[in-house]
């Protein structure tokens, strides 16, 4: 009589001999939680073989057969890195992790970390690159005690909480990608096109269901938030790996023998990491486990499995290491202008611009301008080479210390990391249309360009009648005869007079008269999120008690058209201190007075002359 394990093994062998048809090419996105018939057969085959092998091993060990030894761990590779334990448990982990919701609890759920150890030489190179030779204990503590976790506050539940000062560059950049998925892709979370890498999703450009995303952040489910986080992490890592690979760095932790290991995963993991400290490269090398993936679906499954580690106090450091290794340590150094300086800046341990640029555009360049710049003697410094998914604005630009290029100012999605002298926050819009050029501004630019091409006065701002006729032809302007004769009466056409006529001429005739009355004025809302937990006063029955939570602020923005700059400047009046107040009908109609804060200066680097207002405390970028 054939025993059960023999039946399992024979069934697996029969399945392995079946000729499976090649997998068809897919023209539509594939749900990463779906599994084809062929994949199901292969999975069941492996499970049966592994189960039968395990039973034979246990039976042999129990009978004292010393010639049989447990199977060795699988080698690192595309299907999950260095696997420990039996093949059956690995298959169980893979299949159960295709869903973000936690599956049944068990011994396997208490084992975290997978992959191969990093060599000591690479660990030393990595540690020196990130922290340098003279890193303080405080900086190491900051980077060893910051998880990637969402806020528990309903108002800011879509945001990642920052508890330590150093890793804000990591959290803010991940936050920007998370918002991209929550705002513009949450309707299609279950779908991943296997032929389109995640880092190219933004090329679809527009939210498919609606141009404007919802601002009902409190309604976002935990499932959607965690899925957005996993998608964001995978996209960033593959971006760093030039779309070819993603490296996931984890920590080898086995919590099964801990007292109370049957409890909540996060609590058990926190207990396991309680006494863990990283002071040297050797400390890092002992605990780090590295896995490399070329398949984004496989990488996401393993990121889901490792999510408790990234949510733990080691999360920010592990993600930084993952991004650096995805790019490659040699490539990181080649990207930088000065590779001798640590990526985490002294003395406060902030993420450098190179780290932020790496996560935004996949290269650890030191600058924020477009392309590269020739500094003489055949030397070039590198900036941002392409338009990224999310952008970047910098307070220092408003102080004329640098210039952020159009690539970072005009990303694919209306989401920007905002950098101040000491902190990174996030600015975003719900409507992608805030990125679009104003029709009347484009029209004004075209007409002015045609006018300047005919201006032979050396910049005097006037042209002759013949040149004027050429301008009318190039710009498709159909002036009424009376207006034409009036402008040509002095044989010279002055720009200011022509512009006044065009402002009164209907758009259908090539003018700029806007029936809406806005005359090119832009009105839109922006949201600012500061993830650092700060004290917020909250009135209670017993008085006021400070709450520690992140801050979300909605800003109403008015951007006057370029051609009314003189009128705009005339409306600027000085108020107390160095602040400015602007009288603008678009704001006064909403009973909101224009306000000023350093964030407004950042916004004006993207939308010059923007006027902002908000309710409550001023948005903080520190």
């Amino acid at each position: 009589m054939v025993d059960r394990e023999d039946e399992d093994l024979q069934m697996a062998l029969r399945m392995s001999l079946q000729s499976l048809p090649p997998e068809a090419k897919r023209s539509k996105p594939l749900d990463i939680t779906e599994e084809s018939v062929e994949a199901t057969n292969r999975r069941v085959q492996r499970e049966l073989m592994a189960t039968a092998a395990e039973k034979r091993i246990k039976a042999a060990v129990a009978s004292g057969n010393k010639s049989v030894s447990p199977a060795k761990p699988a080698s690192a590779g595309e299907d999950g890195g260095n696997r420990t334990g039996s093949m059956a448990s690995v298959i169980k982990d893979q299949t159960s992790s295709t869903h973000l919701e936690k599956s049944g609890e068990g011994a396997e759920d208490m084992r975290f970390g997978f992959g191969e150890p990093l060599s000591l030489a690479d660990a030393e190179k990595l540690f020196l690159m990130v922290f340098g030779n003279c890193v303080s204990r405080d900086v190491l503590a900051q980077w060893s005690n910051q998880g990637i976790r969402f806020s528990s506050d309903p108002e800011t539940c879509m945001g990642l909480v920052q508890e330590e000062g150093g890793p804000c560059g990591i959290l803010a950049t991940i936050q920007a990608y998370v918002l991209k998925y929550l705002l513009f892709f949450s309707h299609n979370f279950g779908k991943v096109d296997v032929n389109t890498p995640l880092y190219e999703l933004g090329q679809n450009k527009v939210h498919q269901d609606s141009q404007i995303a919802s601002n009902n952040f409190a309604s976002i489910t935990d499932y959607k938030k965690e899925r957005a986080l996993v998608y964001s992490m995978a996209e960033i890592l593959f971006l760093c790996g030039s779309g070819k690979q993603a490296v996931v760095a984890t920590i080898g932790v086995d919590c099964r023998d801990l007292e109370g290991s049957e409890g909540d995963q996060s609590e058990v993991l926190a207990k396991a990491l309680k006494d863990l400290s990283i002071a040297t490269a050797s400390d890092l090398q002992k605990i780090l486990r590295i896995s490399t993936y070329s398949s984004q679906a496989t990488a996401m499954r393993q990121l889901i499995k490792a999510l408790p580690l990234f949510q733990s106090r080691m999360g920010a450091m592990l993600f930084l290491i993952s991004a650096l290794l995805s790019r490659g340590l040699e490539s990181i150094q080649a990207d930088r202008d000065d590779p001798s300086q640590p990526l985490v800046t002294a003395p406060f341990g902030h993420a450098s611009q190179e780290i932020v640029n790496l996560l935004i555009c996949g290269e650890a360049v030191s600058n924020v301008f477009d392309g590269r710049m020739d500094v003489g003697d055949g030397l070039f410094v590198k900036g941002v080479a392409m338009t990224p998914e999310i952008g970047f604005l910098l307070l220092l630009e408003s102080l004329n210390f640098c210039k952020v290029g159009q690539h970072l100012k005009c990303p694919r999605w209306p989401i920007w990391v905002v950098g101040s002298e000491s902190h990174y926050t996030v600015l975003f819009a719900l409507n992608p249309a805030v990125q679009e050029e104003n029709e009347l501004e484009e029209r004004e630019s075209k007409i002015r360009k045609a006018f300047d091409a005919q201006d032979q006065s050396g910049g005097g701002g006037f042209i002759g009648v013949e040149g004027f006729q050429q301008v009318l032809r190039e710009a498709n302007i159909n002036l009424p005869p009376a207006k034409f004769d009036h402008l040509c009466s002095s044989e010279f056409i002055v720009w200011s007079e022509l512009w006044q006529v065009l402002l009164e001429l209907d758009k259908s005739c090539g003018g700029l008269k806007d029936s809406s009355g806005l005359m090119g004025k832009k009105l839109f809302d922006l949201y600012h999120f500061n993830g650092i937990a700060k004290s917020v006063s909250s009135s209670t029955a017993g008085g006021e008690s400070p709450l520690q939570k992140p801050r979300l602020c909605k800003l109403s923005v008015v951007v006057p058209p370029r051609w009314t700059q003189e009128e705009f400047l005339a409306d600027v009046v000085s108020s107390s201190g160095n602040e400015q107040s602007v009288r603008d009908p678009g704001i006064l109609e909403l009973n909101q007075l224009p306000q000023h804060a350093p964030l407004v200066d950042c916004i004006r680097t993207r939308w010059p002359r923007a006027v902002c207002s908000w309710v409550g405390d001023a948005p903080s970028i520190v």
Side-chain angles (χ1 to χ4, degrees), residues 438-451 461 468 471-472 475 477 479 483 487 493-505 510-513 519-520 561-567:
N438 185 289
E439 177 187 358
L440 297 184
E441 288 178 338
E442 291 181 354
R443 181 75 178 145
E444 182 256 356
S445 297
K446 181 178 180 180
I447 298 172
R448 185 66 202 235
K449 183 178 180 180
F451 185 94
F468 179 48
V471 170
L472 296 180
I477 299 173
L479 277 181
K483 294 289 185 181
L487 288 172
I493 293 85
V494 181
W495 168 255
S496 59
E497 294 180 356
L498 170 61
W499 193 244
Q500 187 60 43
V501 169
L502 292 175
L503 289 175
E504 298 172 357
L505 183 67
L512 291 111
K513 187 175 182 180
M519 294 306 295
R562 283 200 301 260
W563 53 83
T564 60
Q565 184 175 9
E566 291 79 11
E567 292 84 353

Side-chain angles (χ1 to χ4, degrees), residues 65 392 439 552 554:
N65 187 350
F392 182 77
E439 177 187 358
L552 179 67
K554 177 181 177 181

Side-chain angles (χ1 to χ4, degrees), residues 87-236:
M87 181 61 70
S89 66
V90 171
I91 298 297
K92 175 181 179 295
D93 288 339
Q94 278 192 325
T95 55
S96 64
S97 65
T98 57
H99 296 277
L100 277 173
E101 292 88 347
K102 302 296 184 294
S103 59
E105 296 181 0
E108 296 298 330
D109 296 330
M110 292 293 101
R111 195 167 52 185
F112 300 95
F114 40 82
E116 297 179 339
L118 194 65
S119 70
L120 183 58
D122 285 342
E124 290 175 346
K125 185 185 300 184
L126 175 66
F127 192 88
L128 181 65
M129 180 187 299
V130 175
F131 296 112
N133 284 317
C134 302
V135 61
S136 68
R137 290 184 178 181
D138 289 342
V139 169
L140 288 173
Q142 289 175 353
W143 283 86
S144 301
N145 288 282
Q146 178 61 65
I148 305 175
R149 297 187 298 274
F150 284 98
S151 169
S152 58
D153 177 59
E155 183 183 358
T156 58
C157 66
M158 81 306 171
L160 302 175
V161 180
Q162 180 188 344
E163 296 163 346
E164 298 291 337
C168 56
I170 302 290
L171 294 179
T173 311
I174 298 175
Q175 177 71 72
Y177 279 92
V178 166
L179 286 169
K180 166 190 150 180
Y181 284 102
L182 289 178
L183 297 178
F184 304 112
F185 288 97
S186 63
H187 65 297
N188 202 26
F189 264 160
K191 305 289 183 180
V192 175
D193 188 345
V194 295
N195 297 315
T196 303
L198 279 171
Y199 65 92
E200 293 180 0
L201 271 177
Q203 295 181 5
N204 296 329
K205 196 68 177 162
V206 182
H207 190 283
Q208 297 298 316
D209 295 334
S210 172
Q211 289 284 343
I212 303 177
S214 171
N215 64 350
N216 187 12
F217 304 123
S219 66
I220 301 175
T221 63
D222 290 342
Y223 171 84
K224 284 191 174 183
K225 287 187 292 185
E226 290 190 356
R227 176 146 295 207
L229 177 58
V230 169
Y231 277 28
S232 299
M233 293 167 68
E235 178 175 3
I236 294 171

Side-chain angles (χ1 to χ4, degrees), residues 17 47 64 71 102 147-148 192 206 246 251 271 284 297 361-362 373 416 420 439 555 591:
L17 294 175
E47 286 181 324
K102 302 296 184 294
I148 305 175
V192 175
V206 182
I251 296 176
K271 185 183 296 184
L284 190 63
C361 56
M373 183 182 297
W416 297 264
S420 68
E439 177 187 358
L555 299 94
N591 296 319

Side-chain angles (χ1 to χ4, degrees), residues 367-370 373 394 396-398 400-406 408-409 604-606 608:
N367 308 289
V368 292
F369 52 74
D370 292 343
M373 183 182 297
L394 189 58
L396 291 177
E397 182 177 2
S398 68
N400 296 318
F401 283 109
C402 66
K403 180 71 174 177
V404 178
Q406 290 300 109
L408 289 175
K409 281 184 180 175
R604 287 176 179 168
T605 65
R606 172 62 179 85

Side-chain angles (χ1 to χ4, degrees), residues 146-424:
Q146 178 61 65
I148 305 175
R149 297 187 298 274
F150 284 98
S151 169
S152 58
D153 177 59
E155 183 183 358
T156 58
C157 66
M158 81 306 171
L160 302 175
V161 180
Q162 180 188 344
E163 296 163 346
E164 298 291 337
C168 56
I170 302 290
L171 294 179
T173 311
I174 298 175
Q175 177 71 72
Y177 279 92
V178 166
L179 286 169
K180 166 190 150 180
Y181 284 102
L182 289 178
L183 297 178
F184 304 112
F185 288 97
S186 63
H187 65 297
N188 202 26
F189 264 160
K191 305 289 183 180
V192 175
D193 188 345
V194 295
N195 297 315
T196 303
L198 279 171
Y199 65 92
E200 293 180 0
L201 271 177
Q203 295 181 5
N204 296 329
K205 196 68 177 162
V206 182
H207 190 283
Q208 297 298 316
D209 295 334
S210 172
Q211 289 284 343
I212 303 177
S214 171
N215 64 350
N216 187 12
F217 304 123
S219 66
I220 301 175
T221 63
D222 290 342
Y223 171 84
K224 284 191 174 183
K225 287 187 292 185
E226 290 190 356
R227 176 146 295 207
L229 177 58
V230 169
Y231 277 28
S232 299
M233 293 167 68
E235 178 175 3
I236 294 171
L237 295 181
F238 272 100
L239 178 64
C240 294
S242 301
K244 299 177 181 178
Q245 69 171 17
V247 176
V248 178
T250 57
I251 296 176
V253 180
D254 194 339
C255 305
R256 292 174 297 179
D257 296 330
L258 287 177
E259 182 180 352
S261 62
E262 70 281 356
D264 181 75
Q265 271 192 340
S266 60
E267 295 178 1
V268 174
L269 187 56
K271 185 183 296 184
L273 299 176
K274 180 179 179 181
D275 298 325
L276 179 66
S277 64
I278 297 176
T280 65
S282 178
D283 294 338
L284 190 63
Q285 191 270 338
K286 290 177 183 177
I287 63 171
L288 211 57
R289 298 293 180 268
I290 305 300
S291 300
T292 303
Y293 307 97
S294 58
S295 162
Q296 67 181 25
T298 304
M300 282 191 287
R301 283 196 293 269
Q302 295 306 321
L303 283 170
I304 292 170
K305 179 179 176 182
L307 198 56
L309 275 173
F310 287 101
Q311 293 171 330
S312 76
R313 67 180 182 88
M314 296 296 297
M317 181 184 289
L318 287 175
F319 189 76
L320 172 59
I321 293 172
S322 299
L324 294 173
L325 294 178
S326 295
R327 176 65 175 160
L329 300 185
E330 292 183 0
S331 296
I332 293 290
Q333 295 296 70
D335 291 338
R336 308 171 64 197
D337 290 345
D338 185 1
S340 65
Q341 296 298 315
L343 290 170
V344 171
T345 61
F348 302 112
H350 297 135
S352 64
Q353 187 66 52
E354 295 152 321
I355 290 177
V356 175
N357 283 348
L358 173 66
L359 303 188
I360 290 178
C361 56
E363 297 182 357
V365 294
S366 307
N367 308 289
V368 292
F369 52 74
D370 292 343
R372 63 177 190 168
M373 183 182 297
D374 187 352
V375 295
D377 297 328
L379 297 177
F380 294 87
V381 290
K382 288 184 271 187
V384 178
M386 52 80 180
T387 299
E389 295 291 290
I390 55 107
F392 182 77
L393 301 177
L394 189 58
L395 179 63
L396 291 177
E397 182 177 2
S398 68
L399 303 174
N400 296 318
F401 283 109
C402 66
K403 180 71 174 177
V404 178
Q406 290 300 109
H407 288 327
L408 289 175
K409 281 184 180 175
C410 304
R412 297 187 186 279
W413 299 97
I415 307 167
W416 297 264
V417 175
V418 177
S420 68
E421 301 96 328
S422 60
H423 190 44
Y424 294 99

